[in-house]
Amino acid sequence: MRSEKDFKKLTILDEKEKLLRMKSKEVTFPLTEEDKELIERGIQELTYSQIEKYEKKYDLRPGMGLAFPQLGLLKRIIIIVHEVEDGKFDNYVVVNPKIISYSDEMIAAEEGEGCLSVNRDVAGHVKRHARVTVEGFNIEGQKIKIRAREELSACFQHEIDHLNGILFYDRIDPKHPFYTEQEVRLI
């Protein structure tokens, strides 16, 4: 990871920006140096945002995923930094991601979802597939396949939605914003 002295906070678009409602374009390889730099910075910022000392020091909102449209670029690239145990992270960078299969079982984050582009609390549950398989490419252009479950599965679905101009609260049912444990497994 980049050194802390190189850290410079990213500018993340707010939900009011029209660009966040647009569909992103497929990316061709090789990636530009600008894209690689943004990916590195995104991994660093997402990691720091999940470590209390850095979160406070740099005034970061905790987040685990970021899609390029949130950085003002309509490119199909997502970054996920998943804390697998205290202080240990798995990084996922997927270019042109597609969900190729998913479970019938549905889950929802009990506390609801948040988004680095949505600077307010939005009440309601977002139904997501408990498991997904995502195909795409790594930064070198090699084909990759990732199987994700639970929180990581929900994050992949959330970030891929960004590539299609969808924000998480679009998926909250206004007539039935909260589910019971009998309707959806809450995580």
mmCIF file of all heavy atoms in Angstrom, residues 99-143:
data_model
loop_
_atom_site.group_PDB
_atom_site.id
_atom_site.type_symbol
_atom_site.label_atom_id
_atom_site.label_comp_id
_atom_site.label_asym_id
_atom_site.label_seq_id
_atom_site.Cartn_x
_atom_site.Cartn_y
_atom_site.Cartn_z
ATOM 1 N N ILE A 99 -22.304 -9.784 -12.401
ATOM 2 C CA ILE A 99 -22.777 -10.854 -11.526
ATOM 3 C C ILE A 99 -23.267 -11.965 -12.442
ATOM 4 O O ILE A 99 -24.173 -11.760 -13.243
ATOM 5 C CB ILE A 99 -23.900 -10.351 -10.592
ATOM 6 C CG1 ILE A 99 -23.334 -9.299 -9.631
ATOM 7 C CG2 ILE A 99 -24.523 -11.520 -9.821
ATOM 8 C CD1 ILE A 99 -24.376 -8.587 -8.790
ATOM 9 N N ILE A 100 -22.616 -13.129 -12.364
ATOM 10 C CA ILE A 100 -22.984 -14.220 -13.269
ATOM 11 C C ILE A 100 -23.897 -15.243 -12.609
ATOM 12 O O ILE A 100 -24.571 -16.003 -13.290
ATOM 13 C CB ILE A 100 -21.746 -14.911 -13.883
ATOM 14 C CG1 ILE A 100 -20.827 -15.465 -12.801
ATOM 15 C CG2 ILE A 100 -20.994 -13.944 -14.800
ATOM 16 C CD1 ILE A 100 -19.837 -16.496 -13.287
ATOM 17 N N SER A 101 -23.916 -15.265 -11.267
ATOM 18 C CA SER A 101 -24.888 -16.125 -10.575
ATOM 19 C C SER A 101 -25.097 -15.580 -9.168
ATOM 20 O O SER A 101 -24.262 -14.834 -8.650
ATOM 21 C CB SER A 101 -24.407 -17.582 -10.522
ATOM 22 O OG SER A 101 -23.283 -17.701 -9.691
ATOM 23 N N TYR A 102 -26.244 -15.962 -8.599
ATOM 24 C CA TYR A 102 -26.589 -15.481 -7.256
ATOM 25 C C TYR A 102 -27.529 -16.468 -6.594
ATOM 26 O O TYR A 102 -28.211 -17.254 -7.263
ATOM 27 C CB TYR A 102 -27.219 -14.085 -7.305
ATOM 28 C CG TYR A 102 -28.350 -13.961 -8.295
ATOM 29 C CD1 TYR A 102 -29.650 -14.310 -7.942
ATOM 30 C CD2 TYR A 102 -28.119 -13.510 -9.592
ATOM 31 C CE1 TYR A 102 -30.689 -14.216 -8.850
ATOM 32 C CE2 TYR A 102 -29.153 -13.413 -10.505
ATOM 33 C CZ TYR A 102 -30.427 -13.761 -10.134
ATOM 34 O OH TYR A 102 -31.460 -13.671 -11.034
ATOM 35 N N SER A 103 -27.549 -16.407 -5.274
ATOM 36 C CA SER A 103 -28.402 -17.304 -4.493
ATOM 37 C C SER A 103 -29.835 -16.788 -4.499
ATOM 38 O O SER A 103 -30.082 -15.597 -4.711
ATOM 39 C CB SER A 103 -27.900 -17.367 -3.052
ATOM 40 O OG SER A 103 -28.026 -16.084 -2.452
ATOM 41 N N ASP A 104 -30.768 -17.696 -4.226
ATOM 42 C CA ASP A 104 -32.167 -17.292 -4.035
ATOM 43 C C ASP A 104 -32.339 -16.633 -2.671
ATOM 44 O O ASP A 104 -33.180 -15.764 -2.497
ATOM 45 C CB ASP A 104 -33.102 -18.504 -4.111
ATOM 46 C CG ASP A 104 -33.225 -19.032 -5.543
ATOM 47 O OD1 ASP A 104 -33.006 -18.260 -6.490
ATOM 48 O OD2 ASP A 104 -33.535 -20.234 -5.693
ATOM 49 N N GLU A 105 -31.506 -17.062 -1.708
ATOM 50 C CA GLU A 105 -31.623 -16.517 -0.357
ATOM 51 C C GLU A 105 -31.296 -15.026 -0.361
ATOM 52 O O GLU A 105 -30.313 -14.590 -0.952
ATOM 53 C CB GLU A 105 -30.665 -17.243 0.596
ATOM 54 C CG GLU A 105 -30.816 -16.738 2.016
ATOM 55 C CD GLU A 105 -29.767 -17.270 2.980
ATOM 56 O OE1 GLU A 105 -28.775 -17.904 2.542
ATOM 57 O OE2 GLU A 105 -29.931 -17.033 4.189
ATOM 58 N N MET A 106 -32.148 -14.269 0.323
ATOM 59 C CA MET A 106 -31.964 -12.821 0.395
ATOM 60 C C MET A 106 -31.559 -12.414 1.810
ATOM 61 O O MET A 106 -31.961 -13.031 2.793
ATOM 62 C CB MET A 106 -33.257 -12.093 -0.001
ATOM 63 C CG MET A 106 -33.757 -12.426 -1.409
ATOM 64 S SD MET A 106 -32.580 -12.073 -2.721
ATOM 65 C CE MET A 106 -32.775 -10.301 -2.869
ATOM 66 N N ILE A 107 -30.747 -11.355 1.870
ATOM 67 C CA ILE A 107 -30.295 -10.796 3.149
ATOM 68 C C ILE A 107 -30.483 -9.280 3.110
ATOM 69 O O ILE A 107 -30.716 -8.698 2.047
ATOM 70 C CB ILE A 107 -28.801 -11.117 3.419
ATOM 71 C CG1 ILE A 107 -27.921 -10.582 2.274
ATOM 72 C CG2 ILE A 107 -28.592 -12.592 3.678
ATOM 73 C CD1 ILE A 107 -26.428 -10.699 2.503
ATOM 74 N N ALA A 108 -30.371 -8.665 4.263
ATOM 75 C CA ALA A 108 -30.373 -7.198 4.358
ATOM 76 C C ALA A 108 -29.545 -6.809 5.566
ATOM 77 O O ALA A 108 -29.562 -7.508 6.585
ATOM 78 C CB ALA A 108 -31.792 -6.657 4.490
ATOM 79 N N ALA A 109 -28.809 -5.712 5.440
ATOM 80 C CA ALA A 109 -28.053 -5.205 6.585
ATOM 81 C C ALA A 109 -29.050 -4.668 7.600
ATOM 82 O O ALA A 109 -29.871 -3.791 7.275
ATOM 83 C CB ALA A 109 -27.100 -4.104 6.133
ATOM 84 N N GLU A 110 -29.001 -5.220 8.806
ATOM 85 C CA GLU A 110 -29.976 -4.858 9.840
ATOM 86 C C GLU A 110 -30.008 -3.356 10.103
ATOM 87 O O GLU A 110 -31.055 -2.757 10.279
ATOM 88 C CB GLU A 110 -29.668 -5.615 11.138
ATOM 89 C CG GLU A 110 -30.766 -5.503 12.149
ATOM 90 C CD GLU A 110 -30.671 -6.558 13.249
ATOM 91 O OE1 GLU A 110 -29.697 -7.331 13.279
ATOM 92 O OE2 GLU A 110 -31.598 -6.603 14.060
ATOM 93 N N GLU A 111 -28.838 -2.729 10.081
ATOM 94 C CA GLU A 111 -28.742 -1.272 10.325
ATOM 95 C C GLU A 111 -29.031 -0.453 9.069
ATOM 96 O O GLU A 111 -28.982 0.764 9.105
ATOM 97 C CB GLU A 111 -27.339 -0.919 10.834
ATOM 98 C CG GLU A 111 -26.915 -1.663 12.093
ATOM 99 C CD GLU A 111 -27.800 -1.357 13.279
ATOM 100 O OE1 GLU A 111 -28.100 -0.173 13.513
ATOM 101 O OE2 GLU A 111 -28.208 -2.307 13.970
ATOM 102 N N GLY A 112 -29.278 -1.129 7.956
ATOM 103 C CA GLY A 112 -29.447 -0.424 6.687
ATOM 104 C C GLY A 112 -28.096 -0.210 6.028
ATOM 105 O O GLY A 112 -27.056 -0.471 6.618
ATOM 106 N N GLU A 113 -28.111 0.238 4.781
ATOM 107 C CA GLU A 113 -26.872 0.479 4.050
ATOM 108 C C GLU A 113 -26.526 1.957 4.110
ATOM 109 O O GLU A 113 -27.383 2.802 4.351
ATOM 110 C CB GLU A 113 -27.000 0.031 2.585
ATOM 111 C CG GLU A 113 -27.006 -1.463 2.420
ATOM 112 C CD GLU A 113 -26.975 -1.928 0.966
ATOM 113 O OE1 GLU A 113 -26.587 -1.159 0.058
ATOM 114 O OE2 GLU A 113 -27.347 -3.097 0.736
ATOM 115 N N GLY A 114 -25.275 2.238 3.851
ATOM 116 C CA GLY A 114 -24.812 3.609 3.729
ATOM 117 C C GLY A 114 -24.004 3.719 2.456
ATOM 118 O O GLY A 114 -23.779 2.727 1.767
ATOM 119 N N CYS A 115 -23.583 4.927 2.137
ATOM 120 C CA CYS A 115 -22.843 5.143 0.900
ATOM 121 C C CYS A 115 -21.991 6.391 1.072
ATOM 122 O O CYS A 115 -22.455 7.382 1.635
ATOM 123 C CB CYS A 115 -23.822 5.315 -0.261
ATOM 124 S SG CYS A 115 -23.042 5.654 -1.846
ATOM 125 N N LEU A 116 -20.767 6.347 0.572
ATOM 126 C CA LEU A 116 -19.878 7.504 0.690
ATOM 127 C C LEU A 116 -20.385 8.704 -0.103
ATOM 128 O O LEU A 116 -19.959 9.823 0.144
ATOM 129 C CB LEU A 116 -18.457 7.126 0.260
ATOM 130 C CG LEU A 116 -17.770 6.093 1.165
ATOM 131 C CD1 LEU A 116 -16.426 5.679 0.587
ATOM 132 C CD2 LEU A 116 -17.609 6.621 2.579
ATOM 133 N N SER A 117 -21.307 8.476 -1.030
ATOM 134 C CA SER A 117 -21.895 9.585 -1.800
ATOM 135 C C SER A 117 -23.189 10.108 -1.173
ATOM 136 O O SER A 117 -23.742 11.085 -1.643
ATOM 137 C CB SER A 117 -22.181 9.148 -3.246
ATOM 138 O OG SER A 117 -20.970 8.958 -3.940
ATOM 139 N N VAL A 118 -23.690 9.423 -0.157
ATOM 140 C CA VAL A 118 -24.952 9.822 0.482
ATOM 141 C C VAL A 118 -24.623 10.279 1.901
ATOM 142 O O VAL A 118 -24.385 9.467 2.788
ATOM 143 C CB VAL A 118 -25.977 8.662 0.474
ATOM 144 C CG1 VAL A 118 -27.279 9.087 1.145
ATOM 145 C CG2 VAL A 118 -26.238 8.205 -0.960
ATOM 146 N N ASN A 119 -24.592 11.595 2.088
ATOM 147 C CA ASN A 119 -24.159 12.170 3.363
ATOM 148 C C ASN A 119 -25.321 12.402 4.324
ATOM 149 O O ASN A 119 -25.472 13.482 4.879
ATOM 150 C CB ASN A 119 -23.408 13.475 3.094
ATOM 151 C CG ASN A 119 -22.149 13.209 2.307
ATOM 152 O OD1 ASN A 119 -21.279 12.486 2.767
ATOM 153 N ND2 ASN A 119 -22.058 13.751 1.112
ATOM 154 N N ARG A 120 -26.153 11.388 4.452
ATOM 155 C CA ARG A 120 -27.300 11.456 5.362
ATOM 156 C C ARG A 120 -27.707 10.025 5.679
ATOM 157 O O ARG A 120 -27.331 9.100 4.955
ATOM 158 C CB ARG A 120 -28.464 12.220 4.710
ATOM 159 C CG ARG A 120 -28.964 11.575 3.434
ATOM 160 C CD ARG A 120 -29.934 12.448 2.641
ATOM 161 N NE ARG A 120 -30.253 11.842 1.362
ATOM 162 C CZ ARG A 120 -31.304 11.072 1.118
ATOM 163 N NH1 ARG A 120 -32.181 10.809 2.075
ATOM 164 N NH2 ARG A 120 -31.509 10.572 -0.071
ATOM 165 N N ASP A 121 -28.453 9.855 6.749
ATOM 166 C CA ASP A 121 -28.974 8.525 7.075
ATOM 167 C C ASP A 121 -30.235 8.279 6.259
ATOM 168 O O ASP A 121 -31.074 9.173 6.133
ATOM 169 C CB ASP A 121 -29.317 8.421 8.569
ATOM 170 C CG ASP A 121 -28.073 8.337 9.431
ATOM 171 O OD1 ASP A 121 -27.041 7.845 8.928
ATOM 172 O OD2 ASP A 121 -28.122 8.763 10.595
ATOM 173 N N VAL A 122 -30.333 7.092 5.703
ATOM 174 C CA VAL A 122 -31.531 6.694 4.965
ATOM 175 C C VAL A 122 -32.063 5.437 5.639
ATOM 176 O O VAL A 122 -31.362 4.421 5.713
ATOM 177 C CB VAL A 122 -31.227 6.413 3.473
ATOM 178 C CG1 VAL A 122 -32.492 5.984 2.750
ATOM 179 C CG2 VAL A 122 -30.609 7.635 2.799
ATOM 180 N N ALA A 123 -33.287 5.517 6.162
ATOM 181 C CA ALA A 123 -33.872 4.390 6.878
ATOM 182 C C ALA A 123 -34.479 3.390 5.902
ATOM 183 O O ALA A 123 -35.129 3.768 4.928
ATOM 184 C CB ALA A 123 -34.940 4.898 7.846
ATOM 185 N N GLY A 124 -34.260 2.122 6.185
ATOM 186 C CA GLY A 124 -34.860 1.068 5.376
ATOM 187 C C GLY A 124 -33.860 -0.028 5.070
ATOM 188 O O GLY A 124 -32.645 0.176 5.131
ATOM 189 N N HIS A 125 -34.393 -1.205 4.768
ATOM 190 C CA HIS A 125 -33.566 -2.360 4.413
ATOM 191 C C HIS A 125 -33.461 -2.481 2.901
ATOM 192 O O HIS A 125 -34.428 -2.243 2.185
ATOM 193 C CB HIS A 125 -34.182 -3.651 4.971
ATOM 194 C CG HIS A 125 -34.112 -3.746 6.456
ATOM 195 N ND1 HIS A 125 -35.100 -4.335 7.213
ATOM 196 C CD2 HIS A 125 -33.172 -3.343 7.344
ATOM 197 C CE1 HIS A 125 -34.769 -4.291 8.494
ATOM 198 N NE2 HIS A 125 -33.602 -3.684 8.601
ATOM 199 N N VAL A 126 -32.284 -2.883 2.453
ATOM 200 C CA VAL A 126 -32.042 -3.150 1.031
ATOM 201 C C VAL A 126 -31.868 -4.657 0.894
ATOM 202 O O VAL A 126 -30.931 -5.228 1.449
ATOM 203 C CB VAL A 126 -30.772 -2.421 0.534
ATOM 204 C CG1 VAL A 126 -30.554 -2.695 -0.946
ATOM 205 C CG2 VAL A 126 -30.873 -0.920 0.803
ATOM 206 N N LYS A 127 -32.801 -5.294 0.167
ATOM 207 C CA LYS A 127 -32.688 -6.744 -0.048
ATOM 208 C C LYS A 127 -31.570 -7.023 -1.049
ATOM 209 O O LYS A 127 -31.518 -6.420 -2.110
ATOM 210 C CB LYS A 127 -34.006 -7.311 -0.584
ATOM 211 C CG LYS A 127 -34.941 -7.674 0.516
ATOM 212 C CD LYS A 127 -36.331 -8.127 0.149
ATOM 213 C CE LYS A 127 -36.569 -9.039 -0.978
ATOM 214 N NZ LYS A 127 -37.971 -9.511 -1.019
ATOM 215 N N ARG A 128 -30.679 -7.927 -0.669
ATOM 216 C CA ARG A 128 -29.557 -8.329 -1.528
ATOM 217 C C ARG A 128 -29.469 -9.853 -1.528
ATOM 218 O O ARG A 128 -29.946 -10.512 -0.608
ATOM 219 C CB ARG A 128 -28.227 -7.773 -0.984
ATOM 220 C CG ARG A 128 -28.162 -6.264 -0.830
ATOM 221 C CD ARG A 128 -27.908 -5.576 -2.126
ATOM 222 N NE ARG A 128 -27.647 -4.145 -1.939
ATOM 223 C CZ ARG A 128 -27.582 -3.300 -2.950
ATOM 224 N NH1 ARG A 128 -27.735 -3.719 -4.182
ATOM 225 N NH2 ARG A 128 -27.361 -2.024 -2.728
ATOM 226 N N HIS A 129 -28.831 -10.403 -2.557
ATOM 227 C CA HIS A 129 -28.606 -11.852 -2.601
ATOM 228 C C HIS A 129 -27.529 -12.211 -1.572
ATOM 229 O O HIS A 129 -26.519 -11.519 -1.464
ATOM 230 C CB HIS A 129 -28.171 -12.284 -3.999
ATOM 231 C CG HIS A 129 -29.219 -12.014 -5.033
ATOM 232 N ND1 HIS A 129 -30.331 -12.802 -5.183
ATOM 233 C CD2 HIS A 129 -29.349 -11.003 -5.924
ATOM 234 C CE1 HIS A 129 -31.095 -12.305 -6.141
ATOM 235 N NE2 HIS A 129 -30.519 -11.208 -6.597
ATOM 236 N N ALA A 130 -27.740 -13.291 -0.842
ATOM 237 C CA ALA A 130 -26.799 -13.709 0.198
ATOM 238 C C ALA A 130 -25.449 -14.128 -0.387
ATOM 239 O O ALA A 130 -24.413 -13.979 0.243
ATOM 240 C CB ALA A 130 -27.394 -14.850 1.020
ATOM 241 N N ARG A 131 -25.462 -14.645 -1.613
ATOM 242 C CA ARG A 131 -24.231 -15.068 -2.276
ATOM 243 C C ARG A 131 -24.280 -14.644 -3.742
ATOM 244 O O ARG A 131 -25.337 -14.749 -4.377
ATOM 245 C CB ARG A 131 -24.062 -16.591 -2.184
ATOM 246 C CG ARG A 131 -23.801 -17.075 -0.768
ATOM 247 C CD ARG A 131 -23.809 -18.594 -0.621
ATOM 248 N NE ARG A 131 -25.077 -19.230 -1.004
ATOM 249 C CZ ARG A 131 -26.216 -19.164 -0.301
ATOM 250 N NH1 ARG A 131 -26.270 -18.491 0.824
ATOM 251 N NH2 ARG A 131 -27.303 -19.770 -0.732
ATOM 252 N N VAL A 132 -23.155 -14.174 -4.242
ATOM 253 C CA VAL A 132 -23.036 -13.852 -5.673
ATOM 254 C C VAL A 132 -21.701 -14.359 -6.192
ATOM 255 O O VAL A 132 -20.731 -14.500 -5.438
ATOM 256 C CB VAL A 132 -23.131 -12.328 -5.970
ATOM 257 C CG1 VAL A 132 -24.504 -11.782 -5.680
ATOM 258 C CG2 VAL A 132 -22.051 -11.533 -5.256
ATOM 259 N N THR A 133 -21.670 -14.629 -7.485
ATOM 260 C CA THR A 133 -20.409 -14.897 -8.171
ATOM 261 C C THR A 133 -20.230 -13.765 -9.171
ATOM 262 O O THR A 133 -21.133 -13.482 -9.972
ATOM 263 C CB THR A 133 -20.427 -16.259 -8.893
ATOM 264 O OG1 THR A 133 -20.684 -17.277 -7.910
ATOM 265 C CG2 THR A 133 -19.103 -16.543 -9.587
ATOM 266 N N VAL A 134 -19.080 -13.110 -9.082
ATOM 267 C CA VAL A 134 -18.786 -11.956 -9.930
ATOM 268 C C VAL A 134 -17.624 -12.311 -10.840
ATOM 269 O O VAL A 134 -16.613 -12.869 -10.391
ATOM 270 C CB VAL A 134 -18.413 -10.728 -9.060
ATOM 271 C CG1 VAL A 134 -18.024 -9.539 -9.929
ATOM 272 C CG2 VAL A 134 -19.563 -10.355 -8.131
ATOM 273 N N GLU A 135 -17.777 -11.998 -12.124
ATOM 274 C CA GLU A 135 -16.693 -12.153 -13.081
ATOM 275 C C GLU A 135 -16.279 -10.783 -13.571
ATOM 276 O O GLU A 135 -17.104 -9.869 -13.649
ATOM 277 C CB GLU A 135 -17.147 -12.988 -14.284
ATOM 278 C CG GLU A 135 -16.803 -14.432 -14.163
ATOM 279 C CD GLU A 135 -17.129 -15.221 -15.445
ATOM 280 O OE1 GLU A 135 -17.508 -14.645 -16.480
ATOM 281 O OE2 GLU A 135 -17.013 -16.449 -15.350
ATOM 282 N N GLY A 136 -15.029 -10.663 -13.914
ATOM 283 C CA GLY A 136 -14.519 -9.408 -14.448
ATOM 284 C C GLY A 136 -13.044 -9.577 -14.731
ATOM 285 O O GLY A 136 -12.582 -10.686 -15.016
ATOM 286 N N PHE A 137 -12.295 -8.484 -14.608
ATOM 287 C CA PHE A 137 -10.866 -8.505 -14.907
ATOM 288 C C PHE A 137 -10.109 -7.807 -13.791
ATOM 289 O O PHE A 137 -10.620 -6.871 -13.173
ATOM 290 C CB PHE A 137 -10.597 -7.790 -16.240
ATOM 291 C CG PHE A 137 -11.292 -8.443 -17.399
ATOM 292 C CD1 PHE A 137 -12.583 -8.059 -17.743
ATOM 293 C CD2 PHE A 137 -10.689 -9.462 -18.119
ATOM 294 C CE1 PHE A 137 -13.254 -8.667 -18.793
ATOM 295 C CE2 PHE A 137 -11.348 -10.084 -19.168
ATOM 296 C CZ PHE A 137 -12.635 -9.687 -19.506
ATOM 297 N N ASN A 138 -8.877 -8.250 -13.563
ATOM 298 C CA ASN A 138 -8.030 -7.548 -12.604
ATOM 299 C C ASN A 138 -7.359 -6.367 -13.323
ATOM 300 O O ASN A 138 -7.612 -6.139 -14.512
ATOM 301 C CB ASN A 138 -7.024 -8.507 -11.945
ATOM 302 C CG ASN A 138 -6.001 -9.063 -12.930
ATOM 303 O OD1 ASN A 138 -5.820 -8.574 -14.043
ATOM 304 N ND2 ASN A 138 -5.314 -10.112 -12.507
ATOM 305 N N ILE A 139 -6.496 -5.643 -12.621
ATOM 306 C CA ILE A 139 -5.937 -4.428 -13.244
ATOM 307 C C ILE A 139 -4.990 -4.744 -14.399
ATOM 308 O O ILE A 139 -4.737 -3.884 -15.231
ATOM 309 C CB ILE A 139 -5.264 -3.486 -12.212
ATOM 310 C CG1 ILE A 139 -4.146 -4.185 -11.462
ATOM 311 C CG2 ILE A 139 -6.282 -2.895 -11.260
ATOM 312 C CD1 ILE A 139 -3.374 -3.265 -10.535
ATOM 313 N N GLU A 140 -4.496 -5.979 -14.478
ATOM 314 C CA GLU A 140 -3.648 -6.364 -15.613
ATOM 315 C C GLU A 140 -4.475 -6.836 -16.813
ATOM 316 O O GLU A 140 -3.918 -7.129 -17.867
ATOM 317 C CB GLU A 140 -2.673 -7.482 -15.218
ATOM 318 C CG GLU A 140 -1.505 -7.025 -14.372
ATOM 319 C CD GLU A 140 -1.857 -6.978 -12.893
ATOM 320 O OE1 GLU A 140 -2.613 -7.859 -12.423
ATOM 321 O OE2 GLU A 140 -1.383 -6.052 -12.213
ATOM 322 N N GLY A 141 -5.788 -6.966 -16.634
ATOM 323 C CA GLY A 141 -6.630 -7.414 -17.742
ATOM 324 C C GLY A 141 -6.866 -8.909 -17.769
ATOM 325 O O GLY A 141 -7.407 -9.438 -18.734
ATOM 326 N N GLN A 142 -6.466 -9.615 -16.708
ATOM 327 C CA GLN A 142 -6.709 -11.055 -16.639
ATOM 328 C C GLN A 142 -8.099 -11.299 -16.073
ATOM 329 O O GLN A 142 -8.527 -10.608 -15.147
ATOM 330 C CB GLN A 142 -5.658 -11.727 -15.745
ATOM 331 C CG GLN A 142 -4.249 -11.565 -16.265
ATOM 332 C CD GLN A 142 -3.210 -11.716 -15.159
ATOM 333 O OE1 GLN A 142 -3.402 -11.262 -14.036
ATOM 334 N NE2 GLN A 142 -2.089 -12.350 -15.488
ATOM 335 N N LYS A 143 -8.771 -12.300 -16.633
ATOM 336 C CA LYS A 143 -10.125 -12.645 -16.196
ATOM 337 C C LYS A 143 -10.073 -13.196 -14.762
ATOM 338 O O LYS A 143 -9.198 -13.986 -14.436
ATOM 339 C CB LYS A 143 -10.728 -13.683 -17.146
ATOM 340 C CG LYS A 143 -12.216 -13.790 -17.048
ATOM 341 C CD LYS A 143 -12.774 -14.560 -18.243
ATOM 342 C CE LYS A 143 -14.256 -14.574 -18.225
ATOM 343 N NZ LYS A 143 -14.932 -13.498 -18.840
#
